[in-house]
Amino acid sequence: MVVARQRAELDRLREQTATAAVVERATGALMATSGCSPDAAREALVQRARAGRRTLIEECWLTLGALMPAVSQAAGPVPEPLEPPAPAAPRTPPAPSGGPGTLGRLGASLVHVRSPRELAAALLEHLADAVGADAVLLYRRPPGQGLELIGHAGVDDGLAAQWHHVPPLSGFAPLESLRSGEPLWLEHFARDLRKYQLIDEPPGRWRSRAWLPVTTGDASGVSLGVLRRHGAPFDPGDRELLRAVARLCAGRLTTLGAPAEPPAARFSQEVQTVLDALAGATVLLTPLRTATGEVEDYRIEAATPDAVDILGRTGRELVGAHILESYPSVAGEALWQGYLKALDGEPYEGEPYVHEETLAGTTVRAAYSVRAARLGDGLLVTWLRHDLEGREEQRLADMQRLGNLGWANWNLLTRQVTWSSQVYTILGRDPGRGAVALDLLPNLVLPEDAHALARAVAELARHGGSFDVPFRIRTGDTVRHLRAVAEGVTAPDGMVVEVHGFVQDLTAQRSAELALVDSERAILVQRGVLEAERALGIRLQHALLPLPSGPVRLCGLRVEVAYLPAQAGVHVGGDWFSAIELPDDSALFVIGDVAGHGVDAVATMAQLRFTAKGMVTTGSSLTGALARLNSLLLHTRDSQSTATLILARYQPAERRLTWAQAGHLPPLLVRGGEVRRLDRPEGILLGATADPVYESAEFRLEPGDRLLLFTDGLVERLGEDVDLGLTRLADAVRTPEPGSLDELLDAMLEGELRDDVCVLDIRVPAADDARRDGQPSA
């Protein structure tokens, strides 16, 4: 990470320095020609850039380019343009002429080019019709920084001089393609103009362009630019053709201006004499090296008559050609690396590949692999042809083995029977005993299945058609489930003369089906047990937790109760409540939730409910009752249950509510339109520890107050924090006119319940003379 940041910072500083240098040079040049001040020159450059809808750096390069003809001539004469400037009016792109033909013609013409300028002209000549090219540019990245224009066609020399030397600017498309090593397709002019430095004069002349890196074997690299006046995208065929052209140019660019080639190997003539008498494709290569000793290409010193390149040259016609000219696809591929390993003395053999060729009007497919071995200072490269028929037979055998099936053929006229080896394996028959005639096939199966197979065989042999018959055979101590599929071949007179088909082993599939049936049967039995347990739990729950038919009055309070069981699953839950008057004229409110479901949860709920009521009724404090209930859960045999609980006692004389809790959600108090959660006193859930600490809290209820005690099923949602549910509940009860408990439940609960819901809705009447009516307890 540190190295990457430092490298990015270095690139940014270099770009900033180069940009500042260009601006300063353009400012100085404008001062020298017009005699204006530095500020005026700078402002003039800015105004020109705005008027021409160009960036400042582009305007600086145009200004410098207009002053550079003398400098360019001093460096060397610029040849006359190979064609006049193209008209500015856009034209409809021509239809591509086809990749292979274009490559062949271009490859033949590249043999005669002698400079990058001629190479650009040849490219434009062949790409104009193929992809609709209107201009071609070739940029080389020298060992220093920036880019150098080494060839162009379709661009006038004035514009070429302006863009002859370009510093390493960010967003300059040719440089970006070299940095990434991938083609850059610029097909949306307005969008590309905002992102890249585009060579354009006048603006908008070329509406689409492509820049492709050309691998030349050295560290510099060349970027090939194809500019078009129309803005249509490059279709897949155009892109593939341009990639092939870039590979084709790589070899020619390497040889242009390259040092003299090494002399031919002294034994090449002798080798050529030997190769003339050999079949197959073989060539002798001599490596061409740079001044540093790196291999940049190979020269063909000898070749067999069957050797051929992309230009159609064969045998001795290839002698003297270069590999990157004759086989441009080698550049940068695994084969190129294999050649280098072979030069170091390690023989190379590539992976087989399939090639199609047309011979005498017939398409022939063949598999080849390339071998390379060192011979003296050169390489002997051979293309080996493999037997595709044998490979197809192996694929067929593999398919039969993986599909666990085998093919069979019965000739009813000659009585000849042919089975694949997999049929013997499936039927458990020794191949030495030979295949079985079609009418004797039922003798191999179990007696109870033999009649159906014999009838199908007889029907097929008599009337033709086909059959698909399952049957079983016994091999050793096991029974295997098989399937035979066959069809008849009839003569012109309708007589069945041949039967072919296959036999498949379905034992694994049949075993899975039987196991699935057994599993489904077990699931149905288990579901019946669970349904019975649910019915029992519901009856127990209704018996132990009767619900009042409506609101009740307890110690001057209006109390409404709701209990909603979960709809999903087959288990009942352990949510419960209690609301009763105590002997000292106070009221006890309890709400709890036992972990788990089913009859065990209902039994634990009943135990806690009646024990809590009994303890508080006989004088236990709320915290003392919680401690004893915790001990009860811990010491109950075979019980590992936990539970949450709230105990609350209301003293009507002082309207004081004292409460304690064991790991339960806090009650919600609604007062004067404001909603708040009560601060919970300390208390851990029941059954969690042998040494719990329980504390109590109290507060005074005021006329008009509303207190909600509830279990977690009211506010919890899958994947949601419980605080969001509590906030949603607070919003639902924050109304000027409090609604009924049913309205609150409708607002809070949507769809199928995932857990039981239990709610105690306690309200203090606004009038002081509230009457006590209804049921005395709940």
Side-chain angles (χ1 to χ4, degrees):
M1 293 294 292
V2 174
V3 174
R5 288 196 297 269
Q6 291 177 346
R7 184 174 299 166
E9 180 65 15
L10 181 59
D11 291 341
R12 186 188 66 80
L13 293 175
R14 285 175 175 171
E15 180 180 344
Q16 182 178 356
T17 302
T19 303
V22 173
V23 174
E24 291 301 325
R25 287 175 58 195
T27 302
L30 194 58
M31 291 170 57
T33 56
S34 63
C36 62
S37 66
D39 293 340
R42 179 66 177 268
E43 182 62 26
L45 290 173
V46 173
Q47 293 299 329
R48 290 182 186 180
R50 290 176 180 172
R53 300 178 66 184
R54 292 184 289 269
T55 65
L56 179 59
I57 195 66
E58 289 176 333
E59 186 62 39
C60 290
W61 275 108
L62 293 176
T63 301
L64 290 173
L67 303 175
M68 288 177 61
V71 177
S72 300
Q73 292 174 6
V78 178
E80 291 298 323
L82 296 179
E83 59 179 17
R91 61 183 174 87
T92 303
S97 60
T102 300
L103 284 177
R105 291 188 295 271
L106 177 60
S109 67
L110 293 188
V111 176
H112 305 289
V113 301
R114 293 294 179 266
S115 68
R117 182 70 176 269
E118 293 182 10
L119 175 60
L123 290 173
L124 181 59
E125 177 184 354
H126 292 84
L127 295 180
D129 291 334
V131 299
D134 295 297
V136 172
L137 300 177
L138 291 170
Y139 271 101
R140 182 189 296 276
R141 180 166 56 181
Q145 297 296 320
L147 291 177
E148 176 187 10
L149 182 65
I150 60 173
H152 63 88
V155 177
D156 60 82
D157 291 340
L159 183 61
Q162 294 175 16
W163 293 90
H164 185 68
H165 291 283
V166 183
L169 300 175
S170 176
F172 190 52
L175 186 58
E176 294 296 334
S177 71
L178 288 175
R179 286 173 174 171
S180 66
E182 297 292 337
L184 192 61
W185 311 100
L186 306 182
E187 302 164 326
H188 304 281
F189 180 76
R191 186 176 66 192
D192 298 334
L193 189 61
R194 295 191 296 268
K195 185 176 180 181
Y196 296 101
Q197 302 277 351
L198 299 182
I199 301 174
D200 229 5
E201 185 62 35
R205 180 180 182 185
W206 294 294
R207 308 296 295 183
S208 63
R209 59 199 76 198
W211 290 97
L212 299 97
V214 180
T215 304
T216 58
D218 55 17
S220 59
V222 173
S223 184
L224 165 63
V226 178
L227 283 62
R228 307 190 303 184
R229 286 196 293 273
H230 59 87
F234 292 88
D235 61 39
D238 293 343
R239 295 191 177 193
E240 185 61 31
L241 174 60
L242 290 178
R243 289 189 178 98
V245 167
R247 293 193 296 267
L248 186 62
C249 293
R252 196 67 189 119
L253 281 170
T254 302
T255 60
L256 293 178
E261 297 181 356
R266 58 179 175 80
F267 54 85
S268 60
Q269 292 301 324
E270 291 80 0
V271 174
Q272 180 63 62
T273 302
V274 175
L275 295 187
D276 284 339
L278 293 181
T282 302
V283 295
L284 174 65
L285 306 179
T286 295
L288 305 178
R289 301 180 183 272
T290 63
T292 60
E294 296 181 359
V295 177
E296 59 181 5
D297 205 346
Y298 296 86
R299 184 177 61 205
I300 300 176
E301 303 292 352
T304 60
D306 290 340
V308 61
D309 70 355
I310 65 168
L311 304 179
R313 296 176 294 187
T314 61
R316 288 176 176 262
E317 295 177 350
L318 293 171
V319 175
H322 292 176
I323 280 292
L324 293 182
E325 295 176 3
S326 302
Y327 309 99
S329 61
V330 173
E333 300 296 332
L335 183 57
W336 184 270
Q337 302 300 324
Y339 285 177
L340 296 178
K341 291 181 179 179
L343 280 177
D344 292 335
E346 179 183 347
Y348 167 77
E349 181 171 356
E351 292 292 331
Y353 64 94
V354 177
H355 174 70
E356 290 187 359
E357 57 183 344
T358 303
L359 300 175
T362 303
T363 300
V364 180
R365 297 174 69 250
Y368 294 89
S369 61
V370 180
R371 289 182 180 177
R374 183 169 181 171
L375 181 61
D377 294 332
L379 282 181
L380 195 63
V381 180
T382 303
W383 283 263
L384 299 177
R385 180 167 179 161
H386 301 282
D387 180 16
L388 271 183
E389 183 176 342
R391 293 172 60 85
E392 292 296 334
E393 290 181 356
Q394 182 60 45
R395 289 194 183 99
L396 179 59
D398 292 341
M399 181 181 67
Q400 293 183 78
R401 177 177 51 83
L402 295 174
N404 212 357
L405 57 84
W407 60 267
N409 188 81
W410 292 272
N411 190 314
L412 303 185
L413 296 180
T414 64
R415 303 295 292 178
Q416 181 180 2
V417 182
T418 306
W419 284 359
S420 69
S421 60
Q422 193 67 19
V423 174
Y424 290 98
T425 302
I426 293 174
L427 294 177
R429 184 175 179 84
D430 183 2
R433 300 176 59 188
V436 174
L438 182 62
D439 55 346
L440 299 179
L441 189 62
N443 296 339
L444 302 180
V445 308
L446 293 181
E448 51 266 35
D449 296 340
H451 179 69
L453 182 58
R455 185 174 54 196
V457 167
E459 185 71 18
L460 177 62
R462 186 178 304 112
H463 302 293
S466 62
F467 68 72
D468 185 343
V469 179
F471 60 91
R472 292 168 295 170
I473 66 171
R474 182 178 296 279
T475 56
D477 296 332
T478 62
V479 174
R480 303 171 70 178
H481 295 263
L482 308 182
R483 169 195 183 200
V485 179
E487 65 178 0
V489 178
T490 58
D493 60 358
M495 177 181 179
V496 180
V497 297
E498 190 176 359
V499 174
H500 55 252
F502 66 86
V503 179
Q504 186 176 17
D505 189 347
L506 302 177
T507 303
Q509 176 181 337
R510 183 59 178 162
S511 298
E513 292 174 353
L514 295 175
L516 180 60
V517 171
D518 292 340
S519 177
E520 291 177 347
R521 185 181 297 111
I523 290 175
L524 291 176
V525 173
Q526 181 65 18
R527 187 171 185 84
V529 173
L530 294 178
E531 288 288 358
E533 180 181 337
R534 176 180 173 81
L536 175 60
I538 291 175
R539 289 196 297 270
L540 287 174
Q541 199 172 49
H542 288 169
L544 300 173
L545 197 66
L547 287 173
S549 58
V552 298
R553 293 283 182 172
L554 291 178
C555 299
L557 301 176
R558 181 182 182 273
V559 181
E560 195 170 357
V561 179
Y563 177 81
L564 300 176
Q567 301 300 316
V570 296
H571 290 304
V572 293
D575 291 20
W576 55 284
F577 69 91
S578 186
I580 61 172
E581 287 187 358
L582 298 177
D584 60 356
D585 294 330
S586 63
L588 174 66
F589 300 105
V590 187
I591 193 164
D593 185 0
V594 176
H597 296 81
V599 176
D600 290 341
V602 174
T604 303
M605 174 268 290
Q607 188 179 33
L608 293 177
R609 183 173 189 263
F610 292 114
T611 303
K613 291 169 59 176
M615 288 181 180
V616 177
T617 301
T618 56
S620 292
S621 65
L622 301 182
T623 56
L626 288 178
R628 292 183 176 86
L629 292 174
N630 179 75
S631 180
L632 176 66
L633 278 186
L634 286 176
H635 295 89
T636 299
R637 177 177 295 182
D638 299 330
S639 175
Q640 298 180 350
S641 297
T642 59
T644 65
L645 187 65
I646 288 181
L647 292 175
R649 171 178 278 174
Y650 176 67
Q651 303 286 349
E654 300 89 5
R655 290 203 298 271
R656 184 175 71 253
L657 186 78
T658 305
W659 68 292
Q661 63 87 30
H664 203 87
L665 293 175
L668 226 61
L669 177 64
V670 185
R671 176 176 290 173
E674 296 295 328
V675 183
R676 69 181 180 93
R677 307 174 199 171
L678 297 183
D679 295 331
R680 295 193 304 174
E682 185 174 355
I684 193 171
L685 77 165
L686 303 177
T689 177
D691 300 311
V693 175
Y694 296 108
E695 297 180 353
S696 63
E698 63 179 40
F699 64 96
R700 179 183 175 85
L701 288 173
E702 302 293 341
D705 283 355
R706 184 181 187 184
L707 185 66
L708 289 175
L709 281 68
F710 50 89
T711 56
D712 54 10
L714 182 66
V715 294
E716 285 187 346
R717 297 292 182 272
L718 185 65
E720 180 183 271
D721 189 271
V722 69
D723 285 338
L724 294 178
L726 292 173
T727 301
R728 187 167 54 250
L729 176 59
D731 294 337
V733 300
R734 189 183 289 111
T735 56
E737 294 295 332
S740 67
L741 181 55
D742 290 339
E743 293 174 351
L744 175 62
L745 295 176
D746 291 340
M748 288 295 297
L749 304 176
E750 297 178 0
E752 186 176 353
L753 296 181
R754 301 182 61 89
D755 197 3
D756 292 358
V757 174
C758 187
V759 182
L760 277 176
D761 187 359
I762 304 170
R763 308 191 193 196
V764 182
D768 291 335
D769 58 346
R771 298 187 306 273
R772 188 178 296 176
D773 58 8
Q775 299 294 329
S777 63

